[in-house]
PDB file of all heavy atoms in Angstrom:
ATOM      1  N   LEU A   8     237.728  44.159  79.971  1.00 84.00           N
ATOM      2  CA  LEU A   8     237.547  44.297  81.406  1.00 84.00           C
ATOM      3  C   LEU A   8     238.782  43.847  82.266  1.00 84.00           C
ATOM      4  O   LEU A   8     239.114  44.207  83.345  1.00 84.00           O
ATOM      5  CB  LEU A   8     236.270  43.657  81.877  1.00 84.00           C
ATOM      6  CG  LEU A   8     234.861  44.132  81.238  1.00 84.00           C
ATOM      7  CD1 LEU A   8     233.736  43.499  81.829  1.00 84.00           C
ATOM      8  CD2 LEU A   8     234.820  45.697  81.527  1.00 84.00           C
ATOM      9  N   THR A   9     239.325  42.808  81.648  1.00 84.00           N
ATOM     10  CA  THR A   9     240.512  42.209  82.551  1.00 84.00           C
ATOM     11  C   THR A   9     241.659  43.077  82.412  1.00 84.00           C
ATOM     12  O   THR A   9     242.607  42.848  83.132  1.00 84.00           O
ATOM     13  CB  THR A   9     240.942  40.798  81.676  1.00 84.00           C
ATOM     14  OG1 THR A   9     241.083  40.981  80.313  1.00 84.00           O
ATOM     15  CG2 THR A   9     239.753  39.814  82.019  1.00 84.00           C
ATOM     16  N   GLU A  10     241.657  44.048  81.589  1.00 86.00           N
ATOM     17  CA  GLU A  10     242.777  45.035  81.448  1.00 86.00           C
ATOM     18  C   GLU A  10     242.576  46.336  82.325  1.00 86.00           C
ATOM     19  O   GLU A  10     243.526  47.174  82.339  1.00 86.00           O
ATOM     20  CB  GLU A  10     243.077  45.425  80.031  1.00 86.00           C
ATOM     21  CG  GLU A  10     243.502  44.263  79.111  1.00 86.00           C
ATOM     22  CD  GLU A  10     243.621  44.649  77.741  1.00 86.00           C
ATOM     23  OE1 GLU A  10     242.647  45.045  77.129  1.00 86.00           O
ATOM     24  OE2 GLU A  10     244.738  44.650  77.172  1.00 86.00           O
ATOM     25  N   VAL A  11     241.487  46.356  82.871  1.00 89.00           N
ATOM     26  CA  VAL A  11     241.066  47.633  83.552  1.00 89.00           C
ATOM     27  C   VAL A  11     241.769  47.631  85.003  1.00 89.00           C
ATOM     28  O   VAL A  11     241.939  46.528  85.575  1.00 89.00           O
ATOM     29  CB  VAL A  11     239.625  47.667  83.915  1.00 89.00           C
ATOM     30  CG1 VAL A  11     239.226  48.888  84.785  1.00 89.00           C
ATOM     31  CG2 VAL A  11     238.822  47.808  82.574  1.00 89.00           C
ATOM     32  N   GLU A  12     242.477  48.762  85.263  1.00 89.00           N
ATOM     33  CA  GLU A  12     243.177  48.958  86.506  1.00 89.00           C
ATOM     34  C   GLU A  12     242.849  50.115  87.301  1.00 89.00           C
ATOM     35  O   GLU A  12     242.162  51.122  86.714  1.00 89.00           O
ATOM     36  CB  GLU A  12     244.805  48.791  86.139  1.00 89.00           C
ATOM     37  CG  GLU A  12     245.186  47.675  85.444  1.00 89.00           C
ATOM     38  CD  GLU A  12     246.697  47.738  85.064  1.00 89.00           C
ATOM     39  OE1 GLU A  12     247.344  48.716  85.635  1.00 89.00           O
ATOM     40  OE2 GLU A  12     247.318  46.776  84.534  1.00 89.00           O
ATOM     41  N   MET A  13     243.395  50.183  88.548  1.00 89.00           N
ATOM     42  CA  MET A  13     243.251  51.487  89.375  1.00 89.00           C
ATOM     43  C   MET A  13     243.926  52.584  88.569  1.00 89.00           C
ATOM     44  O   MET A  13     245.001  52.411  88.065  1.00 89.00           O
ATOM     45  CB  MET A  13     243.821  51.140  90.706  1.00 89.00           C
ATOM     46  CG  MET A  13     243.251  50.058  91.552  1.00 89.00           C
ATOM     47  SD  MET A  13     241.651  50.616  92.292  1.00 89.00           S
ATOM     48  CE  MET A  13     242.343  51.643  93.647  1.00 89.00           C
ATOM     49  N   GLY A  14     243.291  53.724  88.694  1.00 88.00           N
ATOM     50  CA  GLY A  14     243.852  54.941  88.054  1.00 88.00           C
ATOM     51  C   GLY A  14     243.482  55.225  86.721  1.00 88.00           C
ATOM     52  O   GLY A  14     243.780  56.285  86.174  1.00 88.00           O
ATOM     53  N   MET A  15     242.785  54.289  86.039  1.00 91.00           N
ATOM     54  CA  MET A  15     242.243  54.545  84.838  1.00 91.00           C
ATOM     55  C   MET A  15     241.035  55.400  84.789  1.00 91.00           C
ATOM     56  O   MET A  15     240.237  55.371  85.717  1.00 91.00           O
ATOM     57  CB  MET A  15     241.894  53.272  83.990  1.00 91.00           C
ATOM     58  CG  MET A  15     243.095  52.416  83.520  1.00 91.00           C
ATOM     59  SD  MET A  15     242.682  50.920  82.668  1.00 91.00           S
ATOM     60  CE  MET A  15     244.224  50.262  82.255  1.00 91.00           C
ATOM     61  N   PHE A  16     240.909  56.235  83.744  1.00 87.00           N
ATOM     62  CA  PHE A  16     239.698  57.046  83.671  1.00 87.00           C
ATOM     63  C   PHE A  16     238.790  56.463  82.628  1.00 87.00           C
ATOM     64  O   PHE A  16     239.087  56.340  81.437  1.00 87.00           O
ATOM     65  CB  PHE A  16     240.020  58.455  83.156  1.00 87.00           C
ATOM     66  CG  PHE A  16     238.781  59.414  83.215  1.00 87.00           C
ATOM     67  CD1 PHE A  16     238.490  60.127  84.294  1.00 87.00           C
ATOM     68  CD2 PHE A  16     237.980  59.580  82.104  1.00 87.00           C
ATOM     69  CE1 PHE A  16     237.406  60.953  84.396  1.00 87.00           C
ATOM     70  CE2 PHE A  16     236.915  60.382  82.106  1.00 87.00           C
ATOM     71  CZ  PHE A  16     236.588  61.195  83.260  1.00 87.00           C
ATOM     72  N   VAL A  17     237.544  55.972  83.026  1.00 88.00           N
ATOM     73  CA  VAL A  17     236.568  55.406  82.158  1.00 88.00           C
ATOM     74  C   VAL A  17     235.848  56.451  81.487  1.00 88.00           C
ATOM     75  O   VAL A  17     235.167  57.449  82.094  1.00 88.00           O
ATOM     76  CB  VAL A  17     235.623  54.483  83.011  1.00 88.00           C
ATOM     77  CG1 VAL A  17     234.508  53.992  82.103  1.00 88.00           C
ATOM     78  CG2 VAL A  17     236.385  53.320  83.615  1.00 88.00           C
ATOM     79  N   HIS A  18     235.826  56.429  80.071  1.00 82.00           N
ATOM     80  CA  HIS A  18     235.273  57.506  79.266  1.00 82.00           C
ATOM     81  C   HIS A  18     233.834  56.990  78.832  1.00 82.00           C
ATOM     82  O   HIS A  18     232.868  57.718  78.712  1.00 82.00           O
ATOM     83  CB  HIS A  18     236.038  57.793  78.037  1.00 82.00           C
ATOM     84  CG  HIS A  18     235.404  58.680  77.033  1.00 82.00           C
ATOM     85  ND1 HIS A  18     235.341  60.014  77.254  1.00 82.00           N
ATOM     86  CD2 HIS A  18     234.746  58.453  75.928  1.00 82.00           C
ATOM     87  CE1 HIS A  18     234.746  60.638  76.329  1.00 82.00           C
ATOM     88  NE2 HIS A  18     234.344  59.652  75.502  1.00 82.00           N
ATOM     89  N   LYS A  19     233.758  55.676  78.608  1.00 80.00           N
ATOM     90  CA  LYS A  19     232.484  55.198  78.126  1.00 80.00           C
ATOM     91  C   LYS A  19     232.371  53.630  78.494  1.00 80.00           C
ATOM     92  O   LYS A  19     233.393  52.920  78.369  1.00 80.00           O
ATOM     93  CB  LYS A  19     232.255  55.398  76.634  1.00 80.00           C
ATOM     94  CG  LYS A  19     231.022  54.943  76.058  1.00 80.00           C
ATOM     95  CD  LYS A  19     230.925  55.229  74.603  1.00 80.00           C
ATOM     96  CE  LYS A  19     229.625  54.866  74.015  1.00 80.00           C
ATOM     97  NZ  LYS A  19     229.465  55.260  72.557  1.00 80.00           N
ATOM     98  N   MET A  20     231.220  53.148  78.667  1.00 78.00           N
ATOM     99  CA  MET A  20     230.930  51.641  78.829  1.00 78.00           C
ATOM    100  C   MET A  20     230.619  51.075  77.396  1.00 78.00           C
ATOM    101  O   MET A  20     229.797  51.710  76.636  1.00 78.00           O
ATOM    102  CB  MET A  20     229.772  51.350  79.808  1.00 78.00           C
ATOM    103  CG  MET A  20     229.944  52.089  81.071  1.00 78.00           C
ATOM    104  SD  MET A  20     231.183  51.297  82.077  1.00 78.00           S
ATOM    105  CE  MET A  20     230.966  52.326  83.693  1.00 78.00           C
ATOM    106  N   VAL A  21     231.032  49.962  77.152  1.00 78.00           N
ATOM    107  CA  VAL A  21     230.794  49.285  75.880  1.00 78.00           C
ATOM    108  C   VAL A  21     230.000  48.027  76.182  1.00 78.00           C
ATOM    109  O   VAL A  21     230.233  47.105  76.764  1.00 78.00           O
ATOM    110  CB  VAL A  21     232.165  48.676  75.188  1.00 78.00           C
ATOM    111  CG1 VAL A  21     231.712  48.080  73.851  1.00 78.00           C
ATOM    112  CG2 VAL A  21     233.145  49.895  75.018  1.00 78.00           C
ATOM    113  N   GLY A  22     228.682  48.222  75.750  1.00 67.00           N
ATOM    114  CA  GLY A  22     227.657  47.010  75.977  1.00 67.00           C
ATOM    115  C   GLY A  22     226.227  47.739  76.280  1.00 67.00           C
ATOM    116  O   GLY A  22     226.093  48.853  76.181  1.00 67.00           O
ATOM    117  N   SER A  23     225.404  46.840  76.611  1.00 56.00           N
ATOM    118  CA  SER A  23     223.908  47.250  76.835  1.00 56.00           C
ATOM    119  C   SER A  23     223.909  48.134  78.117  1.00 56.00           C
ATOM    120  O   SER A  23     224.535  47.898  79.112  1.00 56.00           O
ATOM    121  CB  SER A  23     223.100  46.017  77.044  1.00 56.00           C
ATOM    122  OG  SER A  23     221.794  46.420  77.652  1.00 56.00           O
ATOM    123  N   TRP A  24     223.068  49.181  78.039  1.00 48.00           N
ATOM    124  CA  TRP A  24     222.836  49.948  79.211  1.00 48.00           C
ATOM    125  C   TRP A  24     222.477  49.190  80.510  1.00 48.00           C
ATOM    126  O   TRP A  24     222.837  49.512  81.623  1.00 48.00           O
ATOM    127  CB  TRP A  24     221.830  50.950  78.885  1.00 48.00           C
ATOM    128  CG  TRP A  24     221.479  51.987  79.988  1.00 48.00           C
ATOM    129  CD1 TRP A  24     220.595  51.825  81.069  1.00 48.00           C
ATOM    130  CD2 TRP A  24     222.215  53.235  80.285  1.00 48.00           C
ATOM    131  NE1 TRP A  24     220.685  52.869  81.935  1.00 48.00           N
ATOM    132  CE2 TRP A  24     221.586  53.762  81.463  1.00 48.00           C
ATOM    133  CE3 TRP A  24     223.244  53.911  79.700  1.00 48.00           C
ATOM    134  CZ2 TRP A  24     222.057  54.956  81.904  1.00 48.00           C
ATOM    135  CZ3 TRP A  24     223.585  55.207  80.120  1.00 48.00           C
ATOM    136  CH2 TRP A  24     223.205  55.690  81.339  1.00 48.00           C
ATOM    137  N   PHE A  25     221.608  48.150  80.376  1.00 50.00           N
ATOM    138  CA  PHE A  25     221.159  47.371  81.456  1.00 50.00           C
ATOM    139  C   PHE A  25     222.209  46.509  82.032  1.00 50.00           C
ATOM    140  O   PHE A  25     222.038  45.906  83.026  1.00 50.00           O
ATOM    141  CB  PHE A  25     219.926  46.589  81.108  1.00 50.00           C
ATOM    142  CG  PHE A  25     218.749  47.320  80.949  1.00 50.00           C
ATOM    143  CD1 PHE A  25     218.292  47.808  79.608  1.00 50.00           C
ATOM    144  CD2 PHE A  25     218.047  47.840  82.010  1.00 50.00           C
ATOM    145  CE1 PHE A  25     217.253  48.671  79.531  1.00 50.00           C
ATOM    146  CE2 PHE A  25     216.871  48.642  81.931  1.00 50.00           C
ATOM    147  CZ  PHE A  25     216.444  49.105  80.697  1.00 50.00           C
ATOM    148  N   ASP A  26     223.415  46.408  81.340  1.00 51.00           N
ATOM    149  CA  ASP A  26     224.474  45.670  81.993  1.00 51.00           C
ATOM    150  C   ASP A  26     225.583  46.709  82.585  1.00 51.00           C
ATOM    151  O   ASP A  26     226.535  46.261  83.039  1.00 51.00           O
ATOM    152  CB  ASP A  26     225.376  44.855  80.810  1.00 51.00           C
ATOM    153  CG  ASP A  26     224.459  43.725  80.558  1.00 51.00           C
ATOM    154  OD1 ASP A  26     223.727  43.078  81.338  1.00 51.00           O
ATOM    155  OD2 ASP A  26     224.470  43.372  79.287  1.00 51.00           O
ATOM    156  N   HIS A  27     225.261  48.007  82.454  1.00 54.00           N
ATOM    157  CA  HIS A  27     225.977  49.125  83.005  1.00 54.00           C
ATOM    158  C   HIS A  27     226.003  49.078  84.548  1.00 54.00           C
ATOM    159  O   HIS A  27     224.918  49.191  85.134  1.00 54.00           O
ATOM    160  CB  HIS A  27     225.355  50.368  82.404  1.00 54.00           C
ATOM    161  CG  HIS A  27     226.240  51.580  82.710  1.00 54.00           C
ATOM    162  ND1 HIS A  27     226.802  51.851  83.876  1.00 54.00           N
ATOM    163  CD2 HIS A  27     226.385  52.679  81.938  1.00 54.00           C
ATOM    164  CE1 HIS A  27     227.404  53.023  83.915  1.00 54.00           C
ATOM    165  NE2 HIS A  27     227.146  53.546  82.705  1.00 54.00           N
ATOM    166  N   PRO A  28     227.151  48.895  85.153  1.00 53.00           N
ATOM    167  CA  PRO A  28     227.102  48.589  86.700  1.00 53.00           C
ATOM    168  C   PRO A  28     227.099  49.962  87.428  1.00 53.00           C
ATOM    169  O   PRO A  28     227.062  49.931  88.684  1.00 53.00           O
ATOM    170  CB  PRO A  28     228.529  47.941  86.907  1.00 53.00           C
ATOM    171  CG  PRO A  28     229.311  48.396  85.680  1.00 53.00           C
ATOM    172  CD  PRO A  28     228.480  48.597  84.584  1.00 53.00           C
ATOM    173  N   PHE A  29     227.197  51.127  86.719  1.00 57.00           N
ATOM    174  CA  PHE A  29     227.165  52.340  87.399  1.00 57.00           C
ATOM    175  C   PHE A  29     226.149  53.399  86.737  1.00 57.00           C
ATOM    176  O   PHE A  29     225.848  53.193  85.467  1.00 57.00           O
ATOM    177  CB  PHE A  29     228.594  53.119  87.375  1.00 57.00           C
ATOM    178  CG  PHE A  29     229.730  52.216  87.968  1.00 57.00           C
ATOM    179  CD1 PHE A  29     230.596  51.494  87.074  1.00 57.00           C
ATOM    180  CD2 PHE A  29     229.734  51.900  89.330  1.00 57.00           C
ATOM    181  CE1 PHE A  29     231.564  50.674  87.594  1.00 57.00           C
ATOM    182  CE2 PHE A  29     230.747  51.114  89.845  1.00 57.00           C
ATOM    183  CZ  PHE A  29     231.688  50.456  89.061  1.00 57.00           C
ATOM    184  N   TRP A  30     225.745  54.324  87.582  1.00 50.00           N
ATOM    185  CA  TRP A  30     224.765  55.285  86.903  1.00 50.00           C
ATOM    186  C   TRP A  30     225.617  56.239  86.090  1.00 50.00           C
ATOM    187  O   TRP A  30     225.224  56.732  85.097  1.00 50.00           O
ATOM    188  CB  TRP A  30     224.173  56.155  88.122  1.00 50.00           C
ATOM    189  CG  TRP A  30     223.201  57.162  87.605  1.00 50.00           C
ATOM    190  CD1 TRP A  30     223.479  58.571  87.645  1.00 50.00           C
ATOM    191  CD2 TRP A  30     222.008  56.950  86.898  1.00 50.00           C
ATOM    192  NE1 TRP A  30     222.450  59.175  87.092  1.00 50.00           N
ATOM    193  CE2 TRP A  30     221.501  58.234  86.588  1.00 50.00           C
ATOM    194  CE3 TRP A  30     221.273  55.904  86.506  1.00 50.00           C
ATOM    195  CZ2 TRP A  30     220.236  58.452  85.911  1.00 50.00           C
ATOM    196  CZ3 TRP A  30     220.109  56.073  85.801  1.00 50.00           C
ATOM    197  CH2 TRP A  30     219.665  57.325  85.539  1.00 50.00           C
ATOM    198  N   ARG A  31     226.921  56.631  86.521  1.00 58.00           N
ATOM    199  CA  ARG A  31     227.762  57.554  85.768  1.00 58.00           C
ATOM    200  C   ARG A  31     228.512  56.822  84.848  1.00 58.00           C
ATOM    201  O   ARG A  31     229.069  55.598  85.132  1.00 58.00           O
ATOM    202  CB  ARG A  31     228.659  58.312  86.843  1.00 58.00           C
ATOM    203  CG  ARG A  31     227.826  59.173  87.770  1.00 58.00           C
ATOM    204  CD  ARG A  31     228.848  59.658  88.798  1.00 58.00           C
ATOM    205  NE  ARG A  31     229.889  60.767  88.146  1.00 58.00           N
ATOM    206  CZ  ARG A  31     230.791  61.177  88.865  1.00 58.00           C
ATOM    207  NH1 ARG A  31     231.067  60.932  90.193  1.00 58.00           N
ATOM    208  NH2 ARG A  31     231.740  62.003  88.184  1.00 58.00           N
ATOM    209  N   SER A  32     228.801  57.330  83.657  1.00 62.00           N
ATOM    210  CA  SER A  32     229.462  56.577  82.679  1.00 62.00           C
ATOM    211  C   SER A  32     230.915  56.981  82.475  1.00 62.00           C
ATOM    212  O   SER A  32     231.721  56.460  81.766  1.00 62.00           O
ATOM    213  CB  SER A  32     228.771  56.690  81.202  1.00 62.00           C
ATOM    214  OG  SER A  32     228.738  58.072  80.955  1.00 62.00           O
ATOM    215  N   LYS A  33     231.106  58.126  83.080  1.00 74.00           N
ATOM    216  CA  LYS A  33     232.595  58.714  83.101  1.00 74.00           C
ATOM    217  C   LYS A  33     233.136  58.877  84.575  1.00 74.00           C
ATOM    218  O   LYS A  33     232.449  59.591  85.348  1.00 74.00           O
ATOM    219  CB  LYS A  33     232.686  59.988  82.367  1.00 74.00           C
ATOM    220  CG  LYS A  33     232.185  59.917  80.967  1.00 74.00           C
ATOM    221  CD  LYS A  33     232.332  61.274  80.167  1.00 74.00           C
ATOM    222  CE  LYS A  33     231.860  61.217  78.814  1.00 74.00           C
ATOM    223  NZ  LYS A  33     232.032  62.515  78.022  1.00 74.00           N
ATOM    224  N   PHE A  34     234.166  58.228  84.894  1.00 78.00           N
ATOM    225  CA  PHE A  34     234.747  58.318  86.217  1.00 78.00           C
ATOM    226  C   PHE A  34     236.091  57.791  86.280  1.00 78.00           C
ATOM    227  O   PHE A  34     236.574  56.967  85.536  1.00 78.00           O
ATOM    228  CB  PHE A  34     233.844  57.641  87.328  1.00 78.00           C
ATOM    229  CG  PHE A  34     233.639  56.190  86.927  1.00 78.00           C
ATOM    230  CD1 PHE A  34     234.510  55.182  87.383  1.00 78.00           C
ATOM    231  CD2 PHE A  34     232.495  55.783  86.235  1.00 78.00           C
ATOM    232  CE1 PHE A  34     234.399  53.898  87.003  1.00 78.00           C
ATOM    233  CE2 PHE A  34     232.240  54.502  85.942  1.00 78.00           C
ATOM    234  CZ  PHE A  34     233.259  53.490  86.411  1.00 78.00           C
ATOM    235  N   LEU A  35     236.861  58.304  87.248  1.00 84.00           N
ATOM    236  CA  LEU A  35     238.205  57.819  87.615  1.00 84.00           C
ATOM    237  C   LEU A  35     238.067  56.676  88.495  1.00 84.00           C
ATOM    238  O   LEU A  35     237.421  56.717  89.666  1.00 84.00           O
ATOM    239  CB  LEU A  35     239.069  58.905  88.165  1.00 84.00           C
ATOM    240  CG  LEU A  35     240.513  58.471  88.474  1.00 84.00           C
ATOM    241  CD1 LEU A  35     241.275  58.232  87.247  1.00 84.00           C
ATOM    242  CD2 LEU A  35     241.216  59.691  89.281  1.00 84.00           C
ATOM    243  N   ILE A  36     238.784  55.504  88.304  1.00 86.00           N
ATOM    244  CA  ILE A  36     238.669  54.326  89.113  1.00 86.00           C
ATOM    245  C   ILE A  36     239.618  54.557  90.243  1.00 86.00           C
ATOM    246  O   ILE A  36     240.893  54.481  90.033  1.00 86.00           O
ATOM    247  CB  ILE A  36     239.055  52.969  88.299  1.00 86.00           C
ATOM    248  CG1 ILE A  36     238.157  52.905  87.128  1.00 86.00           C
ATOM    249  CG2 ILE A  36     239.071  51.744  89.184  1.00 86.00           C
ATOM    250  CD1 ILE A  36     238.541  51.653  86.346  1.00 86.00           C
ATOM    251  N   GLU A  37     239.173  54.790  91.404  1.00 81.00           N
ATOM    252  CA  GLU A  37     239.865  55.266  92.617  1.00 81.00           C
ATOM    253  C   GLU A  37     239.732  54.229  93.706  1.00 81.00           C
ATOM    254  O   GLU A  37     240.600  54.426  94.701  1.00 81.00           O
ATOM    255  CB  GLU A  37     239.624  56.557  93.077  1.00 81.00           C
ATOM    256  CG  GLU A  37     239.858  57.711  92.011  1.00 81.00           C
ATOM    257  CD  GLU A  37     239.378  59.068  92.460  1.00 81.00           C
ATOM    258  OE1 GLU A  37     238.189  59.273  92.720  1.00 81.00           O
ATOM    259  OE2 GLU A  37     240.320  59.801  92.687  1.00 81.00           O
ATOM    260  N   ASP A  38     238.875  53.245  93.746  1.00 75.00           N
ATOM    261  CA  ASP A  38     238.759  52.410  94.801  1.00 75.00           C
ATOM    262  C   ASP A  38     238.480  50.913  94.347  1.00 75.00           C
ATOM    263  O   ASP A  38     238.239  50.640  93.246  1.00 75.00           O
ATOM    264  CB  ASP A  38     237.688  52.696  95.732  1.00 75.00           C
ATOM    265  CG  ASP A  38     236.317  52.649  95.061  1.00 75.00           C
ATOM    266  OD1 ASP A  38     235.664  51.642  95.013  1.00 75.00           O
ATOM    267  OD2 ASP A  38     235.730  53.745  94.577  1.00 75.00           O
ATOM    268  N   ALA A  39     238.922  49.957  95.202  1.00 78.00           N
ATOM    269  CA  ALA A  39     238.871  48.508  94.749  1.00 78.00           C
ATOM    270  C   ALA A  39     237.528  48.051  94.573  1.00 78.00           C
ATOM    271  O   ALA A  39     237.347  47.222  93.709  1.00 78.00           O
ATOM    272  CB  ALA A  39     239.610  47.757  95.819  1.00 78.00           C
ATOM    273  N   ASP A  40     236.496  48.526  95.308  1.00 72.00           N
ATOM    274  CA  ASP A  40     235.192  48.021  95.115  1.00 72.00           C
ATOM    275  C   ASP A  40     234.620  48.399  93.754  1.00 72.00           C
ATOM    276  O   ASP A  40     233.988  47.591  93.090  1.00 72.00           O
ATOM    277  CB  ASP A  40     234.158  48.669  96.178  1.00 72.00           C
ATOM    278  CG  ASP A  40     234.408  48.072  97.503  1.00 72.00           C
ATOM    279  OD1 ASP A  40     235.015  46.878  97.571  1.00 72.00           O
ATOM    280  OD2 ASP A  40     234.039  48.716  98.649  1.00 72.00           O
ATOM    281  N   ARG A  41     234.933  49.627  93.271  1.00 77.00           N
ATOM    282  CA  ARG A  41     234.415  49.964  92.007  1.00 77.00           C
ATOM    283  C   ARG A  41     235.184  49.180  90.905  1.00 77.00           C
ATOM    284  O   ARG A  41     234.557  48.829  89.935  1.00 77.00           O
ATOM    285  CB  ARG A  41     234.682  51.489  91.748  1.00 77.00           C
ATOM    286  CG  ARG A  41     234.412  52.093  90.388  1.00 77.00           C
ATOM    287  CD  ARG A  41     234.333  53.449  90.399  1.00 77.00           C
ATOM    288  NE  ARG A  41     233.025  53.976  90.992  1.00 77.00           N
ATOM    289  CZ  ARG A  41     232.625  55.308  90.973  1.00 77.00           C
ATOM    290  NH1 ARG A  41     233.292  56.138  90.359  1.00 77.00           N
ATOM    291  NH2 ARG A  41     231.720  55.631  91.604  1.00 77.00           N
ATOM    292  N   LEU A  42     236.433  48.964  91.121  1.00 82.00           N
ATOM    293  CA  LEU A  42     237.207  48.150  90.177  1.00 82.00           C
ATOM    294  C   LEU A  42     236.660  46.783  89.998  1.00 82.00           C
ATOM    295  O   LEU A  42     236.459  46.151  88.917  1.00 82.00           O
ATOM    296  CB  LEU A  42     238.698  48.174  90.515  1.00 82.00           C
ATOM    297  CG  LEU A  42     239.547  47.248  89.648  1.00 82.00           C
ATOM    298  CD1 LEU A  42     239.513  47.750  88.217  1.00 82.00           C
ATOM    299  CD2 LEU A  42     241.050  47.263  90.246  1.00 82.00           C
ATOM    300  N   ARG A  43     236.312  46.101  91.145  1.00 80.00           N
ATOM    301  CA  ARG A  43     235.870  44.712  91.293  1.00 80.00           C
ATOM    302  C   ARG A  43     234.439  44.676  90.622  1.00 80.00           C
ATOM    303  O   ARG A  43     234.150  43.814  89.732  1.00 80.00           O
ATOM    304  CB  ARG A  43     235.825  44.266  92.626  1.00 80.00           C
ATOM    305  CG  ARG A  43     235.273  42.790  92.749  1.00 80.00           C
ATOM    306  CD  ARG A  43     235.387  42.304  94.149  1.00 80.00           C
ATOM    307  NE  ARG A  43     234.492  43.012  95.056  1.00 80.00           N
ATOM    308  CZ  ARG A  43     235.052  43.879  95.923  1.00 80.00           C
ATOM    309  NH1 ARG A  43     236.267  44.080  95.993  1.00 80.00           N
ATOM    310  NH2 ARG A  43     234.160  44.538  96.741  1.00 80.00           N
ATOM    311  N   THR A  44     233.554  45.630  90.864  1.00 78.00           N
ATOM    312  CA  THR A  44     232.353  45.698  90.267  1.00 78.00           C
ATOM    313  C   THR A  44     232.375  45.839  88.781  1.00 78.00           C
ATOM    314  O   THR A  44     231.588  45.148  88.042  1.00 78.00           O
ATOM    315  CB  THR A  44     231.504  46.880  90.852  1.00 78.00           C
ATOM    316  OG1 THR A  44     231.377  46.852  92.290  1.00 78.00           O
ATOM    317  CG2 THR A  44     230.005  46.935  90.208  1.00 78.00           C
TER     318      THR A  44
END
């Protein structure tokens, strides 16, 4: 998580579904709020 940066495309979350901070599991990181979350 410390290596995640703006502009990366998240393909999958690694960990428990209940620790998943987003409903969608695939998305492009385009805003600071999403990156911080």
Side-chain angles (χ1 to χ4, degrees):
L8 296 182
T9 53
E10 298 178 291
V11 178
E12 297 179 6
M13 296 281 284
M15 288 184 173
F16 186 89
V17 176
H18 176 78
K19 184 179 180 181
M20 307 287 181
V21 181
S23 168
W24 181 269
F25 286 98
D26 292 324
H27 187 317
F29 304 106
W30 179 253
R31 299 172 63 184
S32 59
K33 298 181 181 181
F34 55 87
L35 181 67
I36 304 175
E37 298 178 290
D38 62 83
D40 286 341
R41 176 165 287 193
L42 176 62
R43 183 175 61 254
T44 301

